[in-house]
């Protein structure tokens, strides 16, 4: 039986599919709407793979989702599809509600109909894994303990509110309908194929273009950074061994301030691609107006997935950052393609 992923042409989904197909696992079907963040080029190397099928479509399209389920008979669904950028959700939230809430609800409902038609064995083995975020838990003070799975939901941005709503729907389909769901709440990812609207690829791109490196507010906000392939291995682990109805927090144990992250990028670029004038890229740092409602600190307590499922991250922050900066240096054409067109108007509007 195949598995179905949604949003597989985005950053995390593409990394997940590339690894999955490199590991001789069941066939994989990918439905993606190809929004500005979805890039079919990410999957060019597997486009002709015998075990890969791409469907261009929207998770909110009920007829299409039902047709895919009937045709491919998946044994699992992994829901990556989302509007994922906090800053864009501040400029306008309706797309976030449409995909993250309405889209997830549609996917759950069509999955339930499909699941009810499976035989008892298949029903028992079936899994719906919902990929969510630590942002649903809100913001921590410096000395607060890290988020556990029982931390109250306190979403502060339209993005995190929409993800929180989707998490609640997923939970409800388990408790009300018995659908075997799993939810993962992960911290900030970084690595290859991340769209350069997010902090790390944005800073790499701007540095190389001689542009300012914008740091919101005082740059002391803390995020818990996880290399993307470690997130993918955690998802595979939860899919294989997670208990239906359970939530698993995933994090990197890498709490860094934004300023530390940007300085790390600058240090690596100084070494790998020095500026023509020999000065540090750090000179391009500029402190700009803060993000409204900016969460101060996120930190994940990943002890549940570590002790119950035996997962641990493989990359340190240092090794992951080196791989990431090197990937962006080696893939300038990919960056050129995704930073043309719409990207330019977003940057002009947002950083004006
Ligand atoms: P992304 O923005 O890079 O990719 C999202 C993908 O979803 C794109 O390919 C896009 O075309 C697709 N998509 C959007 N709307 C769709 C729709 N209606 N139907 C079908 N496809 C649609 O996002 P990402 O960073 O890869 O995040 C993937 C998931 O992981 C999201 O659910 C996000 O909330 C979650 N997450 C992300 C991070 C992170 O740091 N990036 C951390 C934790 C959780
Ligand atoms: O925590 C998980 C979340 O991480 C995911 O759910 C989101 O999909 C993902 O986008 C990410 O959200 P953040 O808002 O934390 O990521 P972003 O890269 O946008 O910003 C990281 C930090 O850097 C944040 O504190 C804001 C800051 N920042 C960001 C940008 C784009 C800046 O200081 N300057 C910038 O130009």
């Amino acid at each position: 039986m195949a598995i179905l992923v949604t949003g597989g042409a985005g950053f995390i989904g593409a990394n997940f599919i590339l690894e999955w197909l490199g590991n001789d696992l069941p066939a994989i079907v990918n439905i993606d709407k190809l929004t500005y963040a979805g890039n079919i080029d990410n999957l060019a190397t597997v486009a002709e793979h015998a075990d890969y099928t791409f469907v261009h479509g929207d998770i909110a399209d009920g007829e299409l989702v039902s047709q895919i389920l009937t045709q491919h008979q998946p044994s699992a669904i992994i829901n990556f599809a989302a509007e994922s950028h906090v800053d864009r959700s501040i400029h306008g939230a309706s797309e976030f509600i449409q995909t993250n809430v309405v889209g997830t609800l549609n996917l759950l409902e069509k999955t339930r109909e499909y699941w009810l038609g499976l035989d008892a064995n298949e029903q028992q083995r079936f899994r719906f894994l919902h990929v969510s975020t630590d942002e649903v838990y809100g913001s921590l003070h410096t000395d607060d303990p890290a988020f556990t799975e029982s931390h109250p939901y306190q979403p502060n941005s339209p993005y995190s509110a929409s993800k929180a709503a989707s998490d609640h729907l997923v939970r409800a389909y388990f408790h009300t309908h018995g659908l075997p769901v799993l939810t993962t709440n992960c911290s900030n990812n970084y690595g290859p194929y991340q769209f350069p609207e997010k902090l790390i690829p944005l800073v790499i791109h701007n540095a190389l273009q001689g542009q300012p490196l914008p740091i919101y507010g005082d740059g002391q906000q803390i995020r818990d950074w996880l290399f993307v392939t470690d997130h993918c291995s955690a998802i595979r682990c939860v899919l294989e061994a997670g208990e239906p109805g359970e939530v698993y927090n995933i994090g990197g144990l890498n709490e860094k301030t934004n300023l530390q992250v940007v300085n790390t990028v600058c240090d690596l670029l100084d070494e790998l691609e020095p500026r023509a004038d020999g000065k540090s890229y750090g000179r391009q740092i500029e402190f700009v107006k803060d993000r409204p409602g900016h969460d101060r600190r996120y930190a994940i307590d990943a002890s549940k997935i570590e002790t119950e499922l035996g997962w641990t991250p493989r990359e340190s922050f240092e090794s992951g950052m080196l791989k990431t900066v090197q990937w962006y240096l080696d893939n300038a054409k990919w960056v050129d393609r995704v930073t043309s067109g719409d990207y330019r108007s977003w940057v002009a509007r947002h950083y004006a």
Side-chain angles (χ1 to χ4, degrees):
M1 281 174 114
I3 69 157
L4 172 65
V5 304
T6 72
F11 163 48
I12 304 173
N15 276 283
F16 183 87
I17 291 174
L18 293 172
E19 278 204 338
W20 183 274
L21 289 171
N23 277 308
D24 225 8
L25 291 160
I28 195 161
V29 182
N30 172 21
I31 173 176
D32 196 299
K33 188 177 167 185
L34 297 181
T35 67
Y36 78 93
N39 185 351
I40 200 68
D41 279 359
N42 297 352
L43 296 161
T45 55
V46 296
E48 303 301 323
H49 196 294
D51 288 332
Y52 174 66
T53 306
F54 177 68
V55 182
H56 183 197
D58 188 335
I59 58 166
D61 179 343
E63 213 173 298
L64 178 65
V65 170
S66 290
Q67 186 228 308
I68 294 170
L69 295 173
T70 308
Q71 186 183 342
H72 295 280
Q73 297 283 302
S75 59
I77 297 176
I78 306 177
N79 184 27
F80 291 101
E83 289 294 332
S84 69
H85 189 33
V86 174
D87 292 321
R88 285 186 191 251
S89 80
I90 295 167
H91 286 262
S94 55
E95 285 293 321
F96 289 73
I97 301 304
Q98 178 56 29
T99 286
N100 302 1
V101 186
V102 178
T104 300
L105 174 62
N106 180 61
L107 202 58
L108 283 164
E109 190 46 37
K110 295 304 164 193
T111 302
R112 185 177 78 89
E113 288 169 17
Y114 162 74
W115 177 74
L116 285 171
L118 297 176
D119 69 33
N121 258 343
E122 290 166 343
Q123 276 194 1
Q124 215 189 348
R125 288 211 318 266
F126 184 84
R127 297 289 182 269
F128 181 101
L129 192 156
H130 179 61
V131 180
S132 192
T133 170
D134 59 358
E135 300 203 9
V136 297
Y137 298 127
S139 184
L140 293 169
H141 295 291
T142 320
D143 297 326
D144 287 343
F147 299 129
T148 63
E149 288 78 1
S150 55
H151 195 94
Y153 269 41
Q154 290 170 335
N156 290 321
S157 72
Y159 161 69
S160 55
S162 70
K163 290 296 288 187
S166 67
D167 292 8
H168 293 322
L169 286 168
V170 171
R171 176 189 162 90
Y173 269 66
F174 173 74
H175 285 276
T176 302
H177 298 299
L179 190 70
V181 305
L182 299 155
T183 300
T184 56
N185 292 90
C186 187
S187 61
N188 285 61
N189 285 213
Y190 66 101
Y193 302 107
Q194 187 168 29
F195 193 76
E197 64 186 355
K198 309 283 168 60
L199 180 67
I200 291 175
L202 177 104
V203 165
I204 299 171
H205 175 63
N206 282 16
L208 296 171
Q209 298 290 311
Q211 300 288 327
L213 314 182
I215 298 202
Y216 298 159
D218 62 3
Q220 295 305 309
Q221 300 81 9
I222 292 172
R223 299 290 183 266
D224 177 357
W225 293 93
L226 181 71
F227 192 65
V228 62
T229 54
D230 281 325
H231 186 186
C232 295
S233 74
I235 291 171
R236 287 196 301 275
C237 198
V238 172
L239 189 65
E240 272 165 34
E243 191 62 35
E246 289 293 313
V247 173
Y248 296 90
N249 281 358
I250 305 168
L253 293 174
N254 279 313
E255 284 188 58
K256 306 281 175 206
T257 66
N258 292 338
L259 198 52
Q260 283 172 324
V261 170
V262 174
N263 280 327
T264 303
V265 170
C266 291
D267 291 348
L268 284 165
L269 285 174
D270 288 343
E271 201 181 310
L272 299 170
E273 189 79 16
R275 268 175 40 147
D277 63 5
K279 306 230 164 78
S280 172
Y281 286 98
R283 295 168 71 96
Q284 291 167 230
I285 288 176
E286 271 184 24
F287 290 87
V288 301
K289 189 166 155 277
D290 207 353
R291 171 186 279 176
H294 200 172
D295 284 337
R296 197 68 183 164
R297 174 177 168 239
Y298 304 141
I300 282 280
D301 178 341
S303 50
K304 178 173 173 183
I305 187 173
E306 288 178 345
T307 54
E308 290 185 14
L309 306 186
W311 172 84
T312 44
R314 292 180 62 175
E315 296 291 344
S316 65
F317 185 68
E318 289 68 31
S319 66
M321 285 298 287
L322 175 59
K323 283 185 181 174
T324 303
V325 172
Q326 191 63 61
W327 188 88
Y328 281 90
L329 288 172
D330 293 344
N331 289 277
K333 277 196 184 139
W334 182 92
V335 178
D336 283 349
R337 275 197 298 272
V338 302
T339 53
S340 57
D342 281 355
Y343 175 82
R344 294 208 180 123
S345 45
W346 159 255
V347 169
R349 189 156 59 104
H350 180 61
Y351 293 97

